Amino acid sequence: MAEIHPITLPKWGIEMSEGTVSAWHLSIGCSAEKGAELVDIETEKIVNTLDLEVGGTLRRQLAQAGDVLPVGALIAVLADASVPDSAIDAFVAGYRPIDVSFEPKEEGATASPSAEIASSLPRFCGDDGGERVETASPPDPALLAARNEAAHASPLARRLANRLGLDLSTLTGTGQKGRISQVDVEKVAAASRGTVVPAPVAEPVPEPQPTGPEPHASPIAQKIARKLGMRLHGIQGTGARGRVSLADVQAAARARGLITAPVPSAPSAGPAARKLAGDLGVDLSSVTPTGPKGHATKQDVRDAADRAVAPAAPAAVTAAYDLLPVTGMRRSIATALVNAKQNIPHFYLTSDVTVDALLSFRAQLNARANSPRKLSVNDLLIKAAALALMEVPDVNVHWAEEGIRRFRTADISVAVAVDGGLLTPVVRGADRLDPWAIGARAADLADRARKRTLTREEISGGSFTLSNLGMFGIRQFQAIINPPQGAILAVGTTRREAREAPEGGVHFVSVMSLTLSCDHRAVDGALGATFLAALGRRLEDPIGLVL
């Protein structure tokens, strides 16, 4: 039997909830073998390539480069060339992703995991012409949980299998020593939905052959048309100046047999918002929700009422600008830093350090070194910070609700500016490395950070962060703490200042400002000051950095 294989946005980590389609490696109509590169997916801070798990022909691309989609969303369809387009379209229209978010179900939800899988499968015609779904009767949940508990599987895989009604004894694990992983369970669940061809649907209205350019359409209408594999040719627009709207695309899709029900629905809303909608005569389906998880607020209802009664205003003259899409990295940075700034009680300590000895020491080391790569000031700063953390270990900490984690080694996260954002790869065990090893490791991490080829392990788990803007001429700045770390060091540029000489008179010295941002829940002012003093001593007497 000919097969249809869904390609969904993978879940590459328990915290991953969405991904951005970065670039496609295959075009529609291209055939490829198992293991071929299909598409690049950008997660919060790294880019991974999704490889084909089966060979076949790419029949549909349901996401374009730059689209941000939730985990489990259908992004492509593989199928044999013999499968008709109508079957592919029906499969896409009837596809519903399995929930892999591990979010608790709403009260009143009674659908079993097996029923969830069954409802996500397209319906097929049996030999008698009636509808059937190729799925086994759901097993007893208690027996299934007991069976899965004995399987060699990760806790996440076991939890997901219990939710989906899958017997882990029937799966082959791909992890270490045959351990069944979450990915193994997701693969089996996804494969169970794409192994048969849907029955022919009612004769749809044929799609018009394209003649000339596509008509003018709204962005959401274009996006939905792409997802349904539709062309906009032949669709009569009902918007301003004949613009094709979302409703026009939905009507055409229903006429062509691609969907069977209208897409829009009323958002969820609380009692107060519903009462206000009734008082104002506002249809909740016309409300644009802005609350958590698509929840409509009272203000959303008021905004919808204002739009309904407001007269059409003439187009305002506005300044020209470009609206830039928010990448997964930028969204992750925004979320993390807003959370850090709002929830962490920051305080700041600044110390000026004389670095003439450090600069002279670095020049001597580089003059005597055989390596073509020269030590940077940042390499020596990382080493000095690592030794200071060993001297004042209570700054080398993470804040956690169950307690303060104090680390035995200095794993220094180094801020690296990359195209579109910032990454903080970790130099692990910096207290045990000499400056040349630190420099080589930091240079390799920074290079791969800019190429976006770091692994998740290389950008997580640091115990302390160092951010240096001195090369940009910044005198001093205050960095935002990278949670759950207890502190971050901000390094400014080297400047010349006049100081009183010990023997009297005035001379000029090289000075660097160091600002320590501390989480007051874990680090107090005196403790932070003690760390800065220890760091200053090592920078002003740098011979200890190589001993």
Side-chain angles (χ1 to χ4, degrees), residues 74 94 102 132 134 161 184 248-249 285 317 369 374 392 544:
L74 187 65
F102 300 137
R132 63 179 177 85
E134 293 197 350
D184 297 327
D248 299 329
V249 171
S285 63
V317 178
K374 304 300 182 181
V392 190

Side-chain angles (χ1 to χ4, degrees), residues 24 60-64 67 69 74-77 92 223 226-229:
W24 287 94
R60 292 287 187 276
Q61 279 183 1
L62 304 176
Q64 306 300 316
D67 285 354
L69 301 169
L74 187 65
I75 61 175
V77 175
V92 171
K223 184 174 182 179
R226 287 198 306 267
K227 288 184 178 296
L228 296 175

Side-chain angles (χ1 to χ4, degrees), residues 215-220 222 236-246 248:
H216 183 47
S218 67
I220 186 62
Q222 295 175 11
Q236 184 65 39
T238 60
R241 300 180 181 177
R243 190 187 197 198
V244 176
S245 66
L246 173 61
D248 299 329

Side-chain angles (χ1 to χ4, degrees), residues 102-125:
F102 300 137
E103 293 292 332
K105 298 292 184 182
E106 294 183 2
E107 292 185 9
T110 58
S112 67
S114 297
E116 181 181 347
I117 297 178
S119 64
S120 70
L121 291 169
R123 305 237 169 227
F124 310 106
C125 288

Side-chain angles (χ1 to χ4, degrees), residues 431-455:
D431 54 300
R432 300 191 298 264
L433 301 177
D434 61 51
W436 292 274
I438 289 175
R441 180 62 175 157
D444 173 65
L445 290 170
D447 180 63
R448 291 192 290 117
R450 296 183 182 100
K451 295 177 181 177
R452 305 293 298 278
T453 58
L454 292 172
T455 64

Side-chain angles (χ1 to χ4, degrees), residues 33-235:
E33 299 297 326
K34 177 181 178 180
E37 295 183 348
L38 175 63
V39 62
D40 291 338
I41 303 294
E42 178 182 343
T43 60
E44 292 180 352
K45 295 185 178 180
I46 57 178
V47 176
N48 286 327
T49 299
L50 178 63
D51 298 334
L52 290 179
E53 297 178 0
V54 295
T57 301
L58 184 62
R59 299 291 298 275
R60 292 287 187 276
Q61 279 183 1
L62 304 176
Q64 306 300 316
D67 285 354
V68 180
L69 301 169
V71 167
L74 187 65
I75 61 175
V77 175
L78 286 181
D80 297 337
S82 59
V83 177
D85 286 341
S86 60
I88 301 289
D89 294 336
F91 180 86
V92 171
Y95 187 86
R96 184 170 65 86
I98 289 180
D99 178 18
V100 294
S101 64
F102 300 137
E103 293 292 332
K105 298 292 184 182
E106 294 183 2
E107 292 185 9
T110 58
S112 67
S114 297
E116 181 181 347
I117 297 178
S119 64
S120 70
L121 291 169
R123 305 237 169 227
F124 310 106
C125 288
D127 297 334
D128 57 355
E131 283 192 337
R132 63 179 177 85
V133 175
E134 293 197 350
T135 181
S137 58
D140 180 79
L143 293 177
L144 179 66
R147 246 190 334 259
N148 287 344
E149 189 64 31
H152 183 43
S154 68
L156 287 178
R158 192 175 292 115
R159 183 178 176 183
L160 180 59
N162 290 340
R163 166 174 283 187
L164 301 180
L166 295 177
D167 187 348
L168 291 178
S169 65
T170 64
L171 274 64
T172 301
T174 60
Q176 187 176 12
K177 297 182 180 179
R179 190 186 196 204
I180 299 172
S181 67
Q182 176 189 344
V183 174
D184 297 327
V185 176
E186 292 173 352
K187 287 179 180 178
V188 172
S192 68
R193 291 172 292 174
T195 56
V196 284
V197 177
V201 297
E203 187 66 26
V205 176
E207 185 173 353
Q209 292 301 314
T211 56
E214 285 191 337
H216 183 47
S218 67
I220 186 62
Q222 295 175 11
K223 184 174 182 179
I224 295 300
R226 287 198 306 267
K227 288 184 178 296
L228 296 175
M230 293 175 56
R231 301 186 184 95
L232 295 176
H233 297 88
I235 299 179

Side-chain angles (χ1 to χ4, degrees), residues 45 337 378 381-382 385-386 389 395-398 407 409-416 422-427 430 458-468 477-491 514-518 531-532 535:
K45 295 185 178 180
L337 294 187
N378 211 53
L381 282 167
I382 294 172
L389 288 172
V395 176
N396 193 37
V397 296
H398 281 183
F407 294 90
T409 61
D411 298 331
I412 308 293
S413 300
V414 182
V416 178
L422 180 76
L423 292 176
T424 52
V426 182
V427 179
E458 291 174 321
I459 59 175
S460 59
S463 60
F464 183 86
T465 296
L466 186 148
S467 180
N468 188 350
F477 67 103
Q478 297 172 337
I480 299 176
I481 295 172
N482 183 18
Q485 295 175 10
I488 181 173
L489 182 69
V491 181
L514 306 175
T515 301
L516 186 70
S517 303
C518 303
F531 169 80
L532 280 179
L535 177 59

